[in-house]
Amino acid sequence: MAAAKKKTAKSKAPASVKKAAPKKAVDLRPKAKPASAKPQAPAKAKAVAKPATAKATKPVAKPKAAAPATKATRSKLPEPKTRPAKPLQKPASAAKPARKAPAAPAIKPAGRPAPPAIDTALLHDMVAWAKAAGADAVDAIYVEGTQLAVSQRLGAREQLERSEGRDLGLRAFVGTRQAIVSSTDLEVGALKELAGRAVAMARAVPEDPVCGLAPAEMLARQWPDLDLDDGAEASVEELADWCARAEDAARAVPGVTNSEGASASWGRTRVALAASNGFAGDYSRGGYSLSCSVLAGDGTGMERDYDWTSGIYVDQLEAPEKIGRTAGEKAVRRLNPRRMKSTKAPVVYDQRVASSMLGHLAGAINGRAIARKTSFLLDKLGQRIFKPGIRIIDDPHRKRESGSRPFDGEGLPTRRWDIVDDGTLTTWVLDLASARQLDLKPTGHGSRGVSGPPGPSTSNLYLEAGSASVDELIADIDNGLYITELIGFGVNGVTGDYSRGAAGFWIENGKLAWPVSGMTVAGNLKDMFLNLTPANDLVFKGAVNAPTVRIDGMTIAGE
């Protein structure tokens, strides 16, 4: 069978604490911090699809290539037991001084990565087979993914996992009817049968007047090189070393009493897309990540915190020692929290949680929500929704960023959009279908998976930095809340009503005074957007980024 998928062996040690909560992470360099660092976890091909990761139990030390074309570029992974010198031997109790950090792992670019295991020529064959079976229009997408992840807790290896997957999706149109099928079997006979089934299914489904491929004149014909893959592959030894250095540094912080562990990962996704309207293109995306999470205090007074870093290239990552030290210091700072009385006051969202504001905005301007009339910003196009001077940008052409993409999931060109310019909402986020529903032009935001139709999605969405520092942002706040963690998701996308649990620090006389927890912040997103002020500390760490922001006039519920 052609669906070659494998997963590394897992080795788990008993854990007394749950695994770290951070979403992304991984850091390479020992000291210097890069200008910008996503994701998330290895960056996924957000533009078009998610790779399948069906798992089989094969030894990690001798992985086989997912397909012949990738075998030449895949380095052989070392056995997990071949750790570099000076392995960690830490007891599970008190924090110990960090060991002397070894030289930074040398993951060097290996040149441009190999192309996907199949190329657009085979995709065009699939298109031809579906057309021969009676389809009026067809597109086909192929996604190939490889991921490697290592984690440790209290100095002992907890997980080692490798996964490889290949998926192919076919969308066939018969008139205004469409059907989508996917397969991991890439044998020619199986693919011909798949094409026939797709057409048969399309004849049986209800009509959809807004479905269909883009006309040829709208297609992307050329696109920039966004440098989304360094061509290298991390080894188990290297990822394990980053974990060890991060956790050592975290446990060396006075007051840290336990660890949820450190995790490091590397991944690569290759995407190829072809359609009967004449489009054909492919690209590759790689990425690294590191995270560390530890606990401070004892008994019921324990507090947890974390830090993480990610990037397309190794030199975009922060040093493992810095990630660990920051995680430990943040956990200790949260000890002995108070619960304040309810009030109405300014709220400051730390850089780590400020990007959630952009997530709410993206959902409200999504073309599907607008077409269905389920957005609190439904009538706000062309109107001011933020303060003057606020600019929110979606830029798919930022080099070496996790959300970048050379073309969208429907073969349309991508470009930078000033979604909010000088506080004014300028556009919706549209794919072809939502644009047709609204009688507008698509914006190149189609995102496609192998088993579903395209949908609107942002790329690198960020709030432009303001002019004030974080200290200046809070200097005139007599009493307020500085949020470092949000809990729950009490947001109504139709009305904009907002209510979420929060923890962080109380602001008193313009300074962070003491930790607080068990608080709730509430308001309406329309009012919150109009009262939002950004700081100047914007850093790129994923596909959605924002600096620290202040929002005046929010309700804070406590005692």
Side-chain angles (χ1 to χ4, degrees):
M1 298 288 287
K5 300 188 178 181
K6 323 177 254 312
K7 181 170 180 180
T8 58
K10 298 181 181 177
S11 57
K12 287 190 173 261
S16 61
V17 187
K18 290 185 355 182
K19 197 175 176 184
K23 305 185 263 185
K24 308 177 184 176
V26 176
D27 178 52
L28 281 170
R29 298 183 305 161
K31 300 228 184 231
K33 177 177 178 180
S36 62
K38 231 245 265 193
Q40 100 162 255
K44 295 184 180 179
K46 188 175 181 182
V48 271
K50 296 178 181 178
T53 54
K55 301 175 182 177
T57 55
K58 295 282 184 182
V60 174
K62 299 179 181 179
K64 296 181 181 178
T70 60
K71 183 181 275 186
T73 61
R74 186 170 292 123
S75 58
K76 186 176 182 181
L77 294 176
E79 291 285 345
K81 61 184 179 182
T82 59
R83 263 297 295 275
K86 300 184 180 180
L88 290 181
Q89 295 180 349
K90 286 183 177 286
S93 55
K96 299 242 175 167
R99 64 189 172 103
K100 185 177 179 181
I107 295 183
K108 298 179 180 179
R112 305 310 296 170
I118 67 172
D119 58 22
T120 53
L122 181 53
L123 294 183
H124 279 304
D125 287 341
M126 286 211 64
V127 168
W129 297 331
K131 293 273 286 183
D136 296 318
V138 191
D139 67 2
I141 182 171
Y142 170 79
V143 180
E144 173 187 306
T146 305
Q147 295 180 341
L148 176 66
V150 177
S151 66
Q152 76 164 47
R153 179 176 174 271
L154 299 173
R157 175 75 53 76
E158 190 168 63
Q159 183 182 34
L160 171 60
E161 178 177 321
R162 181 184 177 95
S163 62
E164 299 180 8
R166 301 182 300 167
D167 274 285
L168 188 145
L170 183 71
R171 185 167 57 144
F173 300 87
V174 176
T176 57
R177 295 177 171 89
Q178 69 172 338
I180 301 169
V181 295
S182 63
S183 175
T184 59
D185 187 346
L186 305 185
E187 294 291 344
V188 171
L191 294 181
K192 286 184 177 180
E193 183 180 355
L194 184 75
R197 288 181 178 178
V199 176
M201 290 171 61
R203 291 193 177 105
V205 299
E207 292 189 352
D208 180 358
V210 298
C211 75
L213 301 181
E217 61 271 16
M218 294 177 62
L219 297 176
R221 298 300 182 184
Q222 57 183 10
W223 44 83
D225 179 3
L226 301 177
D227 200 10
L228 300 179
D229 194 336
D230 66 359
E233 178 170 338
S235 70
V236 172
E237 286 183 324
E238 288 159 333
L239 298 182
D241 182 68
W242 305 345
C243 291
R245 290 160 58 187
E247 192 183 36
D248 277 358
R251 295 178 66 202
V253 175
V256 171
T257 55
N258 208 335
S259 172
E260 288 190 333
S263 300
S265 61
W266 163 88
R268 171 175 292 121
T269 300
R270 296 183 174 97
V271 177
L273 176 67
S276 59
N277 57 8
F279 179 82
D282 63 82
Y283 65 93
S284 177
R285 185 197 308 277
Y288 306 84
S289 67
L290 170 70
S291 66
C292 184
S293 177
V294 292
L295 296 97
D298 299 295
T300 58
M302 297 180 78
E303 294 289 338
R304 181 197 66 86
D305 217 316
Y306 68 93
D307 198 13
W308 64 277
T309 184
S310 68
I312 299 294
Y313 273 63
V314 167
D315 61 8
Q316 294 176 284
L317 305 175
E318 298 174 83
E321 292 80 5
K322 180 181 182 301
I323 296 300
R325 183 173 62 253
T326 302
E329 291 171 349
K330 287 181 175 179
V332 172
R333 287 183 66 195
R334 295 183 61 170
L335 289 173
N336 304 313
R338 307 181 192 180
R339 192 176 182 189
M340 305 302 296
K341 292 183 178 181
S342 299
T343 186
K344 194 168 186 177
V347 169
V348 179
Y349 286 76
D350 182 77
Q351 188 185 69
R352 292 197 299 177
V353 294
S355 59
S356 64
M357 291 294 111
L358 297 188
H360 302 319
L361 172 67
I365 63 175
N366 185 288
R368 285 186 177 178
I370 301 302
R372 295 169 180 169
K373 302 185 185 302
T374 58
S375 168
F376 66 91
L377 294 179
L378 182 63
D379 58 349
K380 297 296 184 181
L381 186 64
Q383 298 185 29
R384 187 177 302 283
I385 63 171
F386 286 87
K387 288 181 179 180
I390 297 290
R391 181 174 286 105
I392 298 174
I393 298 165
D394 186 58
D395 187 0
H397 290 174
R398 287 183 62 87
K399 289 194 173 184
R400 301 188 182 185
E401 293 294 346
S402 61
S404 296
R405 53 198 184 197
F407 49 83
D408 84 343
E410 297 175 290
L412 299 181
T414 54
R415 70 173 181 88
R416 168 181 161 139
W417 288 89
D418 290 353
I419 289 177
V420 173
D421 189 13
D422 195 26
T424 299
L425 179 63
T426 65
T427 184
W428 306 127
V429 174
L430 304 172
D431 64 345
L432 277 167
S434 59
R436 287 167 179 153
Q437 284 179 286
L438 298 169
D439 197 23
L440 297 171
K441 293 183 179 179
T443 58
H445 284 102
S447 179
R448 170 79 190 279
V450 295
S451 57
S457 175
T458 58
S459 56
N460 289 308
L461 184 66
Y462 64 96
L463 169 62
E464 209 170 63
S467 58
S469 68
V470 176
D471 289 342
E472 292 170 338
L473 205 65
I474 67 175
D476 65 340
I477 300 177
D478 293 330
N479 286 282
L481 177 62
Y482 187 95
I483 299 176
T484 60
E485 182 179 17
L486 290 168
I487 304 164
F489 194 79
V491 180
N492 188 320
V494 178
T495 65
D497 290 335
Y498 179 98
S499 178
R500 297 191 68 180
F505 297 88
W506 193 251
I507 302 171
E508 189 173 66
N509 298 323
K511 301 289 184 182
L512 300 187
W514 52 77
V516 294
S517 65
M519 310 294 287
T520 300
V521 290
N524 186 278
L525 286 168
K526 287 184 282 189
D527 298 326
M528 292 167 65
F529 288 169
L530 285 169
N531 289 285
L532 183 148
T533 304
N536 63 358
D537 60 340
L538 175 65
V539 174
F540 288 87
K541 294 184 72 170
V544 181
N545 299 280
T548 299
V549 300
R550 168 177 169 171
I551 301 176
D552 292 320
M554 292 194 68
T555 299
I556 305 172
E559 293 182 343

